[in-house]
Amino acid sequence: MTRRAAGRAGGRQVLFGALVTVVGGLLGVPAASAAPGDTGRVIGSSADRPLELTLDRLEPRTVTPGAAVEVTATLRNESTETYEDLEVRLQRGEVLTSRGRLAADLARPGDHTAATTPFLGVSPDELEPGEEVSFTYPSTADALQLTADGVYPLLVNVNGTRSDGVTERVAELSTHLVVQPAVPATRTGVTWLWPITDRPHRDATGAFTDDALAAQVAEGGRLDRVLETVEQLPRTTAPTPAATEPVVPVTLAVDPALLEELSAMAAGPYLVTGQEGTGTADAAGLLERLRRLAADHDVVALPYADADADALVAAGRPDALLRTLPGEGTARQPSTADGALVPAPAAAGPAGETGAGAAIVEEVLGVEPRTDLAWPAGGTVDETTLATLVAGGISTVALAEDGLTDGSRAVGDDGDPAAARGDLTTDGGPVTALVADGELAEAVEAAVLQPGASRLVEQRYLAELAALHAQQADGVGSTVLVAPPRWVDPDPDTVAAMMTDTYTQPWLVPLSVAAAADGPAADVGELTGTDPDVRLPAATVAGIVETSRVRDDFAAAVVGDADEALAGYDAAIARAASAQWRREPEVFPSVVTDLQGTVARLREQVTLVSPADGTYTLASSDAPLVLTVRNDLPFAVDVRLDLQTRSNVGLATEDIGVQTLGPESLTTVEVPADVQQSGGFTVTARLTTPAGGPLGEPVQLQVRSTAYGPITLAITLGAAALLALLFLRRAVRFVLRRRRGEPVPTADGAAGLPPTRSPV
């Protein structure tokens, strides 16, 4: 029977149901009604129990034959009644030797009647309302009849007498005992993949939108505790003399965008909506701690801003995903001291072989990260997305067990040894799949700062591993991957203890991610894909698609290395597409709207300059139209100029082709023109990229011509010719009269003065 068959509805629900039973009265949920001293089933709600019981200590973590077993707990009376004659005993159930049986027991606990120990009195034996008392119950493996290896359900049962003389079970607490040989034949390997991520805290321009990250990195903040967890690992002598190294290798999965934000804060001062941010000192301290951890542990660079890979590929923008990948991507944030985006100058050629994400990690942490391992948010990935990742240099992918059709085999659900590795085939070649154990990951997620919960959560984690260890074949050890959710909010003491257990327990062994990838493989089937309802909503992602297309159109106009020049816009697109927005769907639309506005303003930085009075005057029919174009960007761009007159009457212009504008320049462009008539007419000028994308705003110009057009010139010449003919006619007639001796006509005085100008 698999854990799913045993009732693991959706994974997390059953785990937390189990932890409810495990944590008992602490979380206010395990329980069952039982008669006084009854040793029957214990299921139900702690609301049925008037007193609360918290586990303080349970030793040893692994019980061997003849070992002493000691339970220390605190009993608290939150009721309004006084209880006397308090006494406690231990009860255990049948041994569990597989994960399937453990899951079935957690879903429906069995009777804790296989063995019981005598009741021992609690001192003092009276507890009034509001009081609490701690007690220790000593026992042995022999008294509990722990004779076989495996996992044993354990119940701590407290009875008491009410003021009316009725004796009842007043408190209970459930956990598990792990029994293993002192020298096991094989060991179970445990690998840790530890996320160091957070949601983006900067807008599309790169300016900080809030100072929430300051609280995260301050003492006691979430990121402070994420680092403290790994810092607490014990150290042992390293191969190098006088050096030490952590006893447990932990692979740190780091978001380059988060490193950039922390670096901007640490450089200080940084602005948050016009006010100086408060996290400079804490960010600097946290980065220094992270550098020390990175020197001791392997580092994996996540995609920039932990972009939602499936959402981008499903929207038809695999290129946008590729630009976020650490090994070959371009996304990074060039910025000024106040964190605002400034477009970078375009390099003459490719920036180099190192991707932007990897370069950020190297610059900030001083280590070369691994860039061939992808860990999709949520642990699932679509087939087309995986093909895109492979094209971007990915050869290993970390997935949740539910991300594969037979992922349960990798975590031992079928009763066979667990194998964290699986092999997948893609069009781009073979891919190694590392399968994360969902129950272990959620146990880590449950290890929060909750007083009294730590030891129970750790014991639940050990019980899962012990059940896996119990189903190993001779000589074949199991391997598991623990990869908690991105937003893990740990209790450092608890999770550090869980990590350390893999070193201190003789039946466990810590493994690196690389070692797990080289270990035995399970048949994990095929990808299940990502539920469309889980990834970022397509309707809003459409805005990211639009801006990505604008970016590509503009990139074709950049002279030089467009990826270098537009790296900040690639970073803005990645931040808007961050998978972290899955948890804040109400914020996501405003993030995309901000991105659209920022990318639109990129086009506005290359535009035509209107004449002061809006009018151009052309002195001749073939005088060129002279226009001024402004480029405010720090790199050269290629543009095209389009001129149109209303109804295409009055002016004909030539296509001058692609024009190159220098960086941060004003450029004069002469457009050959042919004026077909004099007078004034309107010309609309538009600037575009070579592919036709609009730049700036269209400009309407009033063009006035004082030159003669063909028709006007023809009329004028015709009139001049006619006038010349008339004068010639009069001259001929005058000459003829003279030759014939005819008198020359004189003016008639009575007719008045002659006209002042010719009647013609």
Side-chain angles (χ1 to χ4, degrees):
M1 178 186 294
T2 67
R3 282 182 292 164
R4 289 186 179 84
R8 192 184 64 166
R12 180 173 302 166
Q13 292 86 344
V14 171
L15 172 65
F16 286 133
L19 287 178
V20 157
T21 300
V22 169
V23 176
L26 170 69
L27 298 181
V29 203
S33 57
D38 183 15
T39 57
R41 279 177 61 187
V42 183
I43 313 174
S45 168
S46 64
D48 298 333
R49 308 298 180 197
L51 306 187
E52 292 184 359
L53 190 59
T54 301
L55 181 66
D56 300 323
R57 185 171 179 271
L58 174 59
E59 293 296 338
R61 284 166 168 76
T62 297
V63 181
T64 56
V69 177
E70 189 173 85
V71 176
T72 300
T74 298
L75 190 63
R76 183 176 298 104
N77 187 356
E78 297 291 350
S79 71
T80 59
E81 195 163 356
T82 299
Y83 285 86
E84 300 176 340
D85 302 326
L86 297 172
E87 54 184 3
V88 61
R89 75 174 175 185
L90 305 181
Q91 303 172 195
R92 65 103 171 148
E94 298 291 345
V95 63
L96 309 173
T97 56
S98 70
R99 294 196 88 175
R101 294 186 62 185
L102 175 60
D105 178 77
L106 290 168
R108 187 178 294 276
D111 297 337
H112 296 74
T113 58
T116 61
T117 61
F119 275 109
L120 295 180
V122 176
S123 179
D125 66 351
E126 180 178 292
L127 202 61
E128 295 184 355
E131 293 184 339
E132 65 178 40
V133 61
S134 295
F135 63 86
T136 296
Y137 191 104
S139 186
T140 65
D142 294 339
L144 288 166
Q145 302 176 32
L146 305 175
T147 58
D149 296 349
V151 180
Y152 291 82
L154 179 70
L155 176 72
V156 182
N157 177 19
V158 181
N159 281 1
T161 302
R162 298 197 311 243
S163 57
D164 59 4
V166 175
T167 300
E168 64 179 358
R169 181 177 295 176
V170 295
E172 61 188 15
L173 183 146
S174 296
T175 185
H176 294 85
L177 292 175
V178 172
V179 177
Q180 295 293 340
V183 183
T186 57
R187 295 195 291 176
T188 295
V190 183
T191 298
W192 284 83
L193 185 59
W194 193 242
I196 301 177
T197 66
D198 202 59
R199 69 165 176 83
H201 294 272
R202 297 198 284 187
D203 63 16
T205 70
F208 282 90
T209 58
D210 59 65
D211 207 19
L213 196 53
Q216 299 268 30
V217 301
E219 183 176 359
R222 189 186 72 85
L223 288 175
D224 170 66
R225 287 182 281 110
V226 165
L227 266 59
E228 184 184 351
T229 299
V230 185
E231 290 172 329
Q232 287 194 21
L233 293 175
R235 302 181 72 85
T236 186
T237 303
T240 303
T244 62
E245 62 184 8
V247 298
V248 178
V250 177
T251 297
L252 310 175
V254 182
D255 177 6
L258 175 61
L259 293 182
E260 281 188 334
E261 291 183 350
L262 293 173
S263 296
M265 293 170 63
Y270 65 99
L271 298 180
V272 180
T273 61
Q275 302 295 320
E276 187 172 323
T278 61
T280 294
D282 289 328
L286 186 130
L287 277 179
E288 185 57 37
R289 294 163 57 196
L290 185 53
R291 291 185 188 103
R292 290 195 293 267
L293 290 178
D296 285 335
H297 300 274
D298 291 339
V299 176
V300 168
L302 295 172
Y304 188 94
D306 201 11
D308 192 328
D310 281 322
L312 289 173
V313 173
R317 301 305 303 185
D319 52 331
L321 171 60
L322 290 172
R323 288 193 285 269
T324 72
L325 297 185
E328 301 181 11
T330 59
R332 68 177 303 160
Q333 183 69 49
S335 62
T336 58
D338 63 357
L341 181 148
V342 290
E353 296 182 359
T354 302
I360 293 169
V361 175
E362 290 186 42
E363 293 166 8
V364 178
L365 301 184
V367 297
E368 183 178 349
R370 183 172 178 177
T371 61
D372 64 337
L373 188 152
W375 182 15
T380 61
V381 66
D382 293 333
E383 186 174 347
T384 52
T385 304
L386 182 57
T388 302
L389 294 173
V390 171
I394 298 300
S395 60
T396 303
V397 58
L399 299 173
E401 57 186 277
D402 292 336
L404 297 154
T405 56
D406 294 325
S408 59
R409 292 181 180 177
V411 297
D413 274 353
D414 58 355
D416 290 334
R421 172 191 158 197
D423 294 323
L424 298 174
T425 301
T426 70
D427 293 339
V431 174
T432 298
L434 292 176
V435 185
D437 189 298
E439 301 293 359
L440 296 178
E442 290 171 343
V444 176
E445 185 182 3
V448 296
L449 289 171
Q450 178 93 37
S454 60
R455 188 64 187 87
L456 282 174
V457 173
E458 180 192 358
Q459 197 65 18
R460 169 63 201 288
Y461 158 83
L462 286 171
E464 287 286 348
L465 289 174
L468 268 178
H469 184 80
Q471 64 191 40
Q472 291 183 153
D474 291 341
V476 180
S478 290
T479 57
V480 295
L481 172 64
V482 185
R486 298 288 207 274
W487 54 87
V488 63
D489 191 7
D491 172 13
D493 293 339
T494 303
V495 181
M498 296 163 79
M499 291 178 174
T500 304
D501 285 336
T502 63
Y503 174 77
T504 58
Q505 299 307 301
W507 49 281
L508 296 175
V509 60
L511 295 178
S512 66
V513 166
D518 289 336
D523 183 1
V524 296
E526 301 174 347
L527 297 173
T528 59
T530 301
D531 185 345
D533 293 335
V534 171
R535 58 192 180 218
L536 295 175
T540 311
V541 172
I544 300 177
V545 172
E546 175 193 337
T547 57
S548 184
R549 288 173 179 161
V550 171
R551 180 266 180 211
D552 288 348
D553 174 73
F554 200 91
V558 175
V559 177
D561 186 356
D563 289 338
E564 180 78 9
L566 301 179
Y569 295 93
D570 293 342
I573 292 171
R575 286 195 297 271
S578 173
Q580 299 280 350
W581 300 123
R582 292 180 179 181
R583 302 183 66 228
E584 299 186 40
E586 71 285 352
V587 178
F588 181 49
S590 62
V591 172
V592 175
T593 299
D594 172 64
L595 171 69
Q596 290 175 296
T598 298
V599 176
R601 287 191 290 275
L602 174 64
R603 292 188 182 276
E604 297 172 2
Q605 296 183 71
V606 182
T607 187
L608 286 163
V609 179
S610 299
D613 60 358
T615 301
Y616 282 101
T617 301
L618 301 180
S620 64
S621 62
D622 59 354
L625 189 61
V626 181
L627 302 174
T628 302
V629 184
R630 187 180 73 241
N631 175 21
D632 293 334
L633 297 170
F635 48 83
V637 292
D638 288 336
V639 299
R640 298 186 70 94
L641 183 64
D642 178 51
L643 298 174
Q644 291 185 355
T645 58
R646 188 173 301 170
S647 301
N648 294 320
V649 174
L651 179 69
T653 60
E654 295 183 15
D655 182 2
I656 59 174
V658 174
Q659 301 292 304
T660 299
L661 309 179
E664 298 176 340
S665 65
L666 284 174
T667 303
T668 299
V669 178
E670 293 188 359
V671 182
D674 182 18
V675 180
Q676 299 175 359
Q677 66 185 47
S678 61
F681 39 87
T682 301
V683 175
T684 300
R686 293 181 176 87
L687 205 62
T688 71
T689 65
L695 296 172
E697 293 293 332
V699 174
Q700 282 198 340
L701 310 171
Q702 296 298 319
V703 178
R704 183 174 303 280
S705 175
T706 59
Y708 289 116
I711 297 176
T712 305
L713 183 60
I715 294 174
T716 303
L717 292 176
L722 179 60
L723 183 61
L725 289 173
L726 290 175
F727 276 108
L728 179 60
R729 174 175 175 271
R730 293 187 64 177
V732 169
R733 293 179 63 184
F734 176 79
V735 171
L736 290 176
R737 287 194 186 99
R738 292 286 299 267
R739 288 181 177 179
R740 289 195 295 264
E742 296 178 2
V744 178
T746 59
D748 185 359
L753 296 174
T756 59
R757 59 183 179 177
S758 171
V760 179

